């Protein structure tokens, strides 16, 4: 039997042909290597240690269990368990339902997801970036920034309860256009109809895909790809004019430069005049380089831009407000008639180019600065009128600090840093690691913003919150007392941080520096899918065997070295659960692994506390 890498590569190659129909996909679910690969893909998620409705977790995974699962798949007796429903907090204060499938169902869903991704992903629209290899929120935001020069109107799309309202029959009909294998289709039916359990009561699912299911993201992309295709046709039919008119200011600068150059060619020009003219030409050329050559607000030029991330989408229109109203109505009708979805009238807004709006956590707006500016250092900055700008919202910083309990807003509106009580039980090293990771995480998401430098204010509050937390831990009344009494522990060459012991001696971990520079562009050339080659052009993206796959395939107990009998994998949720008291814990800590392949006997001894 072919390896999963080869199979997925062939599927991806065949998907390049729009008319190709995929048959007999179900047989790939008999391939044990697919489940090993799926297991290696999803094993690191701590959520796999949360039991589903069958009370099973990822702990104890074995090839023997895979064999039993394949037997169920073959005789069509496999039936997904209802997901265990829980709720997570939303930013607006509400609750989002989350379904937790059983681990066995996650495994099968991951295999199905990989097959669907190989079939569909290469044909998804280039402006859809959610749940796709090498794409993310930031790659889409970067695309918006680079491509939306001169936008005059925005349509902010919001679909009412998208994941809960996907029509099952519509979804299956979309799948049947490319997949002619009813056993495979029926398996997807089983997943979307599996239902959920809440408060020990079973509930049927008549629409939607369960949020939390591994298969849900790819199914949602397949569903909304119909909207992407609809908008692509709209974009092509909306276009008017081959290019924008030339910018009159750019032409004036060209004329001023050419006029001076003509004078320079004259034979009667003095040396002093020549030097003056050369200086003027250089200055004018600098300004001209920073002045747009085209009129970004040209009314005879019309274009339509469309970008989607999951169920969030925006439409940029170079045209009139009437065009924007018409496009919004056409999207509403298409969603309702073709996809049985409803566009939220309250949240689907039409925004003028001079106003800011939010998309994927950023504020987006079109710059109004008409002319180049000369900075205090003497450097020219370009005229940005008409260019799309990304901005870090003030509310994002405030909510971040409040959610971390690092900020208190007093009655007079003043901000004050606060100690974080929930971190007091951690060691100083763990505390500083937490702060550094949180600040870096926020910066890494917002480093495309043109005002990302404003994170320096947040940094200052987090630094004092860190020091107040340490002061409280040491029972010090103030930060100044902490730094005077524990100077040798929390300071090094003027920097704030934590000294800690390592195997190689003492090391100093500094608080993350206050340097927040804007990332000019995202370039992931080394991560993009490779160009076509003669044979199996897309196989490269699926190639590779992980260390865990190799360890499991070796069928050798990593404790007693036995090679006979079934092997199981012991899992822990997080590395910090290991205390380093038992020998097996020391072994896992030394290798920095959350898994250990054991024979069944050793695995049972471990859970009984007998593996020393």
């Amino acid at each position: 039997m072919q390896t999963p890498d080869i199979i997925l590569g062939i599927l991806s190659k065949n998907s390049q042909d729009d008319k190709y129909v995929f048959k007999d996909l179900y047989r790939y679910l008999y391939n044990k290597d697919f489940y090993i690969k799926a297991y290696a893909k999803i094993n690191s998620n701590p959520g796999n240690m949360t039991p589903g409705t069958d009370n099973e977790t990822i702990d104890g995974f074995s090839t023997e269990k895979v064999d039993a699962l394949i037997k169920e798949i073959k005789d069509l007796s496999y039936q997904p368990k209802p997901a265990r429903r829980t709720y997570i907090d939303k930013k607006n204060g509400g609750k989002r339902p989350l379904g937790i499938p059983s681990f066995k169902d996650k495994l099968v869903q991951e295999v199905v997801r990989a097959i669907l991704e190989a079939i569909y992903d290469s044909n998804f629209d280039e402006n859809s970036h959610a749940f796709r290899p090498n794409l993310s929120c930031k790659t889409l935001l970067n695309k918006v920034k680079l491509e939306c020069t001169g936008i005059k109107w925005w349509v902010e799309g919001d679909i009412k309860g998208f994941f809960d309202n996907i029509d099952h029959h519509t979804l299956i009909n979309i799948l049947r256009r490319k997949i002619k294998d009813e056993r495979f289709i029926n398996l997807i039916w089983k997943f979307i109809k599996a239902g959920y359990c809440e408060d020990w009561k079973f509930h049927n699912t008549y629409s939607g895909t369960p949020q939390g299911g591994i298969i849900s993201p790819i199914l949602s992309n397949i569903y909304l790809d119909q909207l992407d295709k609809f908008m692509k046709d709209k974009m092509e039919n909306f276009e008017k004019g081959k290019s924008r008119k030339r910018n009159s200011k750019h032409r004036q600068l060209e004329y001023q430069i050419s006029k001076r150059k003509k004078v320079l060619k004259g034979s009667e020009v003095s040396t002093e005049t020549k030097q003056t003219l050369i200086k003027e030409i250089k200055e004018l050329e600098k300004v001209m380089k920073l002045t747009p050559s085209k009129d970004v607000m040209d009314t005879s030029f019309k274009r339509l831009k469309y970008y989607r991330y999951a169920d969030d989408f925006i439409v940029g229109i170079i045209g009139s407000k009437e065009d924007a109203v018409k496009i919004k109505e056409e999207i509403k009708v298409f969603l309702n008639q073709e996809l049985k979805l409803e566009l939220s009238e309250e949240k689907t807004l039409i925004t003028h180019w001079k106003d800011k709006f939010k998309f994927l956590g950023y504020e987006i707006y079109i710059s109004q600065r008409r002319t180049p500016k000369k900075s205090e250092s003497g450097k020219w900055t370009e005229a940005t009128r008409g260019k799309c700008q990304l901005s870090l919202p003030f509310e994002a910083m405030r909510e971040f600090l409040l959610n971390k309990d690092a900020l208190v807003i007093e009655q007079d509106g003043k901000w004050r840093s606060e100690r974080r009580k929930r971190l007091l039980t951690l060691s100083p090293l763990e505390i500083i690691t937490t702060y550094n990771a949180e600040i870096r995480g926020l910066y890494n998401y917002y480093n495309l913003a043109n005002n990302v430098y404003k994170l320096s204010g947040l940094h200052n509050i987090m630094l004092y919150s860190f020091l107040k937390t340490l002061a409280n831990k040491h029972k010090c009344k103030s930060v100044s007392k902490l730094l005077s009494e524990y100077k040798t522990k929390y300071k090094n060459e003027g920097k704030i941080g934590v000294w800690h012991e390592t195997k190689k001696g003492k090391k100093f971990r500094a608080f993350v520096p206050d340097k927040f520079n804007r990332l000019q562009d995202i370039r992931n050339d080394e991560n993009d899918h490779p160009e076509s080659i003669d044979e199996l052009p897309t196989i490269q993206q699926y190639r590779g065997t992980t260390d865990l796959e190799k360890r499991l395939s070796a069928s050798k107990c990593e404790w007693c070295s036995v090679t006979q009998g079934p092997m199981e994998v012991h899992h822990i949720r997080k590395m910090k659960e290991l205390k380093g008291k038992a020998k097996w814990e020391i072994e896992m800590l030394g290798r920095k692994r959350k898994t250990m392949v054991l024979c069944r006997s050793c695995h049972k001894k471990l859970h009984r506390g007998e593996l020393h």
Side-chain angles (χ1 to χ4, degrees), residues 427-530:
S427 69
L429 181 61
E430 289 173 319
I431 293 172
I432 194 171
T433 301
T434 300
Y435 274 89
N436 284 352
E438 290 168 348
I439 295 170
R440 287 193 182 106
L442 190 69
Y443 168 65
N444 287 339
Y445 187 75
Y446 282 108
N447 58 12
L448 286 176
N450 61 325
N451 64 339
V452 69
Y453 62 87
K454 289 188 176 180
L455 282 177
S456 58
L458 177 142
H459 176 277
N460 191 48
I461 289 172
M462 288 289 275
L463 175 60
Y464 275 90
S465 171
F466 164 69
L467 291 171
K468 284 182 178 181
T469 303
L470 288 181
N472 190 218
K473 188 174 180 68
H474 288 292
K475 305 276 191 291
C476 291
K477 291 183 179 180
S478 66
V479 168
S480 58
K481 189 175 181 181
L482 170 83
L483 294 178
S484 63
E485 290 186 9
Y486 296 91
K487 184 177 181 180
T488 56
K489 190 172 182 179
Y490 299 124
K491 268 194 163 186
N492 181 38
E493 297 179 354
K495 293 180 180 178
I496 300 293
V498 173
W499 282 101
H500 60 102
E501 291 287 347
T502 69
K503 290 181 180 179
K504 296 180 180 179
K506 272 193 170 186
K507 280 194 174 180
F508 185 76
R509 181 166 297 179
F511 198 83
V512 64
D514 182 9
K515 290 183 180 179
F516 302 108
N517 298 320
R518 178 162 63 100
L519 185 66
Q520 297 293 333
D521 198 0
I522 294 177
R523 303 238 181 247
N524 284 330
D525 296 339
E526 70 278 6
N527 294 322
D528 290 340
H529 295 333

Side-chain angles (χ1 to χ4, degrees), residues 242-263:
K242 289 185 177 180
S243 64
R244 290 184 171 97
K245 292 178 182 177
R246 290 203 57 196
N247 184 357
S248 59
K249 289 184 178 178
H250 193 274
R251 294 183 72 176
Q252 287 173 10
L253 288 165
E254 279 185 331
Y255 173 72
Q256 294 293 332
I257 291 167
S258 64
K259 191 168 77 170
R260 284 164 173 75
K261 284 183 177 179
K262 280 182 183 178
V263 175

Side-chain angles (χ1 to χ4, degrees), residues 142-158:
N142 191 58
K143 209 170 193 299
V144 172
K145 181 185 75 171
L146 296 175
E147 296 179 355
C148 287
T149 298
I151 293 295
K152 295 182 179 179
W153 295 94
W154 299 95
V155 177
E156 307 168 50
D158 186 273

Side-chain angles (χ1 to χ4, degrees), residues 17-28:
D17 180 358
D18 291 338
K19 296 180 180 178
Y20 189 87
V21 175
F22 293 86
K23 300 176 181 179
D24 207 12
L25 295 175
Y26 196 77
R27 63 192 171 97
Y28 298 136

Side-chain angles (χ1 to χ4, degrees), residues 271-465:
T271 305
E272 188 179 341
T273 304
K274 277 185 179 182
Q275 289 176 347
T276 303
L277 288 170
I278 290 169
K279 189 176 180 181
E280 287 176 356
I281 289 169
K282 285 182 178 179
E283 282 293 308
L284 288 167
E285 284 178 340
K286 281 182 182 178
V287 176
M288 189 177 74
K289 283 179 183 178
L290 298 168
T291 304
S293 60
K294 301 288 185 180
D295 180 6
V296 294
M297 306 310 283
D298 178 10
T299 55
S300 64
F301 180 81
K302 292 177 74 171
R303 288 293 185 273
L304 196 65
K305 302 288 185 181
Y306 164 80
Y307 306 92
R308 180 177 68 81
Y309 191 90
D311 57 333
D312 291 326
F313 67 88
I314 56 172
V315 181
I317 298 157
I318 301 175
S320 64
K321 185 176 183 180
E322 289 71 27
D323 291 327
V325 172
K326 185 181 177 184
I327 291 294
K328 176 187 170 183
E329 187 60 29
E330 288 174 343
I331 293 172
K332 177 183 174 182
V333 171
F334 176 83
L335 287 172
N336 187 262
Q337 293 182 355
E338 300 298 324
L339 298 178
K340 308 291 190 296
L341 295 170
E342 189 179 348
L343 200 64
S344 171
E345 286 292 339
E346 310 83 55
K347 296 181 181 179
T348 302
L349 308 174
I350 294 175
T351 305
H352 189 255
W353 69 275
K354 289 183 180 179
D355 298 322
K356 291 182 178 182
F357 71 96
K358 287 184 180 177
F359 182 60
L360 301 180
Y362 276 76
E363 282 182 336
I364 298 178
Y365 65 99
I366 302 298
S367 175
Q368 299 184 49
R369 185 145 63 79
R370 295 172 179 270
T371 55
K373 282 200 312 185
K374 206 170 187 179
S375 66
E376 292 179 3
S377 61
K379 290 184 178 180
W380 286 95
T381 56
E382 63 180 321
T384 55
R385 179 175 166 83
K387 288 198 173 185
C388 186
Q389 304 286 318
L390 302 178
S391 178
L392 163 64
F394 169 78
E395 295 82 6
M397 292 189 286
R398 183 185 61 197
E399 291 306 312
F400 174 86
L401 291 167
L402 289 173
N403 289 336
K404 301 299 180 188
D405 295 328
L407 171 70
V408 171
I409 301 177
E410 297 177 340
Q411 288 185 345
D412 59 1
K414 288 184 179 179
W415 288 18
R416 175 172 56 80
S417 59
E418 181 63 291
R419 61 178 178 155
R420 294 170 66 178
K421 294 179 183 178
R422 52 182 155 170
L423 300 183
L424 290 173
T425 57
L426 302 180
S427 69
L429 181 61
E430 289 173 319
I431 293 172
I432 194 171
T433 301
T434 300
Y435 274 89
N436 284 352
E438 290 168 348
I439 295 170
R440 287 193 182 106
L442 190 69
Y443 168 65
N444 287 339
Y445 187 75
Y446 282 108
N447 58 12
L448 286 176
N450 61 325
N451 64 339
V452 69
Y453 62 87
K454 289 188 176 180
L455 282 177
S456 58
L458 177 142
H459 176 277
N460 191 48
I461 289 172
M462 288 289 275
L463 175 60
Y464 275 90
S465 171

